[in-house]
């Protein structure tokens, strides 16, 4: 029995796009004011020094932040795997901390010598990527309802892998029940130019030509897309992870998420980052998604309830789940509670306690339950030594930039 008097209860929030490893390079001075391509080029050589310990510490930090900010299910897109770092390192931490986890086996294969953006030491061989993708599917993927771990295949972007790897990843994923596909698409005008120059088509046409559309595919960002393109993607029920904070941070633009939703695309929210956010705060993301649509389309563009819908049922649809995202019988026991009588919503919760969770700025949730287990109680993680974790994470972060 949990005494939830004074709490607003919601289904746990769902994050559809993140890069846990990037918590190690938040606020990096040389990348603070850069746009996407320069930002990537500044980070790649640092990420090429990642180790298994760096992956584990950064995963723990991101999950701690996510749990405290209301997230109970998250997809992570790790795409740099040097020095024997493996997806297994992330899955072990997520299992230990109790997050419902969609682990994307991301990848980069086209280094600078092959016309790609990342340096050669940050990329992997394509045959090895596919072998490891199959290995992690067999070792960890659980297609059943209430699954705590699912695998996603996720080549990083059209400018860091080859068309062949995109095609082969889609074929491999579709050999297995419930293995979905994820990549970055249409994040910047630079990417559009790259696709036009290299392939002679726009990014969406390129993705379509590779078999990368459908109810088992979702893209991060989807900013530079035409109405004709999202009408087609809506018909195929392709999904979008909308990352408002990251899009603002990198000055990328405002994604047309409302029109994409109206066209039939599945839309969820993601904190992205962490080096382009630079936080993993899911309730903040809901707030920013609502505010950013208002910048583009006026105060009536998106309500607090619509923003929360994107972060709950919307996110569940994007990840292909019918067992999370709502508080109804038959759903997984994933729920969060926020005090309605605290400082953050004072004067708000008396009028509209639910909307206050989005309009007001909530520092963290007071209760979080994932798969029936209490993970946050009285605003604190029940089984994480946060100061110890932060010290460990700082050591790993310093090691990445040490000369
Ligand atoms: Zn991303």
């Amino acid at each position: 029995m949990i005494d939830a008097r004074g709490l607003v209860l919601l289904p746990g929030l769902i994050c559809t796009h993140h890069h846990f490893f990037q918590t190690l390079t938040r606020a990096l001075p040389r990348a603070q004011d850069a746009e996407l391509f320069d930002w990537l080029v500044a980070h790649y050589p640092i990420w090429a020094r990642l180790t298994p310990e760096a992956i584990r510490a950064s995963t723990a930090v991101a999950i701690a932040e996510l749990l405290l900010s209301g997230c109970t299910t998250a997809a992570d897109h790790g795409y740099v795997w040097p020095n024997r770092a493996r997806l297994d390192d992330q899955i072990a931490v997520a299992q230990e901390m109790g997050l419902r986890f969609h682990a994307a086996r991301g990848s980069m294969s086209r280094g600078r010598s092959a016309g790609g953006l990342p340096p050669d030491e940050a990329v992997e061989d394509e045959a090895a990527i596919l072998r490891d993708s199959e290995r992690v599917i067999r070792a960890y993927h659980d297609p059943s309802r209430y699954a705590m771990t699912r695998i996603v295949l996720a080549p990083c972007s059209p400018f860091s892998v080859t068309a062949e790897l995109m095609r082969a990843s889609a074929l491999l994923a579709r050999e297995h029940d419930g293995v979905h596909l994820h990549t970055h698409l249409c994040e910047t005008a630079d990417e559009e130019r790259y696709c036009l120059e290299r392939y002679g088509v726009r990014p969406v046409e390129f993705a379509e030509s590779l078999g990368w559309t459908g109810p088992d595919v979702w893209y991060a960002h989807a900013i530079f897309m035409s109405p004709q393109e999202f009408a087609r993607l809506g018909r195929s029920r392709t999904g979008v992870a909308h990352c408002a904070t990251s899009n603002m941070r990198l000055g990328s633009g405002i994604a047309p998420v409302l029109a994409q939703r109206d066209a039939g695309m599945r839309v969820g929210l993601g904190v992205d980052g962490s080096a382009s956010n630079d936080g993993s705060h899911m309730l903040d993301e809901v707030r920013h998604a609502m505010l950013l649509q208002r910048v583009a389309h006026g105060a009536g563009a998106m309500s607090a309830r619509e923003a929360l819908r994107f972060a709950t049922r919307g996110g569940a649809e994007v990840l292909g789940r019918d067992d999370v995202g709502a508080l109804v019988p038959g759903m997984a026991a994933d729920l969060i509670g926020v005090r309605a009588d605290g400082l953050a919503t004072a004067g708000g919760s008396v009028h509209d306690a639910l909307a206050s969770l989005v309009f007001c700025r909530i520092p963290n949730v007071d209760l979080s339950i994932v798969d029936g287990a209490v993970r946050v109680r009285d605003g604190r993680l029940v089984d994480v030594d946060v100061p110890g974790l932060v010290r460990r994470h700082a050591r790993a972060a310093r090691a990445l930039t040490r000369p």
Side-chain angles (χ1 to χ4, degrees):
M1 295 289 289
I2 292 168
D3 184 352
R5 277 175 295 189
L7 299 185
V8 183
L9 296 180
L10 285 175
L13 307 180
I14 297 165
C15 175
T16 60
H17 186 67
H18 202 323
H19 310 286
F20 294 167
F21 70 91
Q22 293 180 13
T23 58
L24 295 158
T25 53
R26 297 201 274 212
L28 190 74
R30 77 192 82 155
Q32 283 176 12
D33 307 317
E35 292 189 2
L36 180 67
F37 277 19
D38 291 335
W39 178 93
L40 283 168
V41 168
H43 282 100
Y44 284 140
I46 297 170
W47 295 336
R49 300 171 76 174
L50 285 168
T51 61
E53 163 57 13
I55 293 286
R56 284 193 293 266
S58 55
T59 298
V61 159
I63 291 177
E65 290 185 281
L66 286 170
L67 289 170
L68 282 168
S69 65
C71 176
T72 54
T73 299
D76 189 63
H77 189 182
Y79 53 82
V80 194
W81 300 106
N83 311 314
R84 299 183 166 269
R86 301 195 305 170
L87 195 64
D88 313 53
D89 297 310
Q90 290 199 301
I91 291 171
V93 175
Q95 286 176 345
E96 190 181 311
M97 296 178 77
L99 181 79
R100 203 178 292 281
F101 188 35
H102 286 230
R105 204 306 180 183
S107 54
M108 298 196 296
S109 62
R110 187 193 284 150
R112 215 166 284 152
S113 64
L117 203 58
D120 289 352
E121 68 270 21
V123 307
E124 297 174 88
D125 170 69
E126 295 202 342
I129 291 167
L130 290 166
R131 266 199 313 278
D132 195 54
S133 299
E134 180 139 33
R135 179 187 69 80
V136 292
I137 292 170
R138 292 190 189 285
Y140 299 108
H141 179 67
D142 178 0
S144 65
R145 281 193 104 222
Y146 313 122
M148 290 298 285
T149 309
R150 289 216 179 133
I151 299 295
V152 175
L153 299 190
C156 186
S157 63
F159 49 83
S160 53
V161 301
T162 65
E164 291 69 44
L165 183 68
M166 298 285 288
R167 249 188 231 108
S169 297
L171 288 174
L172 176 59
R174 287 169 180 151
E175 284 173 16
H176 300 270
D177 182 23
V179 175
H180 286 198
L181 295 160
H182 181 49
T183 194
H184 293 94
L185 206 77
C186 301
E187 184 172 359
T188 63
D190 285 341
E191 178 195 321
E192 187 173 302
R193 269 193 295 280
Y194 181 93
C195 268
L196 281 166
E197 276 164 25
R198 179 143 196 132
Y199 303 110
V201 290
R202 292 163 50 77
V204 170
E205 286 177 86
F206 182 56
E208 287 169 332
S209 74
L210 302 171
W212 268 75
T213 59
D216 58 348
V217 179
W218 87 102
Y219 309 136
H221 306 299
I223 300 170
F224 292 85
M225 242 178 218
S226 71
Q228 293 79 9
E229 287 170 335
F230 46 75
R232 291 206 303 278
L233 295 170
R235 282 195 290 277
S236 66
R237 294 288 288 155
T238 305
V240 170
H242 174 47
C243 308
T245 310
S246 170
N247 297 161
M248 290 190 277
R249 155 68 146 94
L250 295 171
S252 300
I254 304 177
V257 281
L258 298 168
Q260 287 166 333
R261 174 201 62 192
D262 293 343
M265 294 186 76
R266 296 167 291 127
V267 179
L269 304 183
V271 297
D272 197 11
S274 243
S276 65
N277 179 312
D278 298 11
S280 311
H281 199 294
M282 202 52 212
L283 267 171
D284 254 8
E285 199 59 40
V286 179
R287 185 166 190 250
H288 292 164
M290 178 185 81
L291 297 178
L292 187 57
Q293 288 306 304
R294 291 172 176 219
V295 173
H297 307 296
M302 192 194 281
S303 69
R305 284 168 172 77
E306 282 177 291
L308 283 169
R309 194 207 173 278
F310 277 141
T312 51
R313 279 177 287 171
E317 287 169 13
V318 166
L319 297 186
R321 300 196 70 125
D322 62 3
D323 55 352
V324 294
L327 283 185
V328 294
M331 290 287 175
D334 293 8
L335 64 96
I336 57 170
V338 184
R339 292 221 73 84
D341 54 2
L343 182 63
T345 58
S349 47
V350 294
H351 304 299
D352 187 338
L354 185 59
S356 295
L357 302 186
V358 184
F359 279 98
C360 304
R361 203 268 167 190
I362 310 296
N364 53 254
V365 301
D366 294 280
L367 174 71
S368 174
I369 299 174
V370 192
D371 202 43
V374 175
R375 294 297 168 188
V376 176
R377 190 194 293 273
D378 301 326
R380 291 217 168 95
L381 290 158
V382 294
D383 55 0
V384 181
D385 164 22
V386 174
L389 171 60
V390 171
R391 283 194 297 274
R392 186 180 147 209
H393 186 262
R395 278 195 298 277
R398 280 197 201 94
L400 289 183
T401 51
R402 197 170 287 139

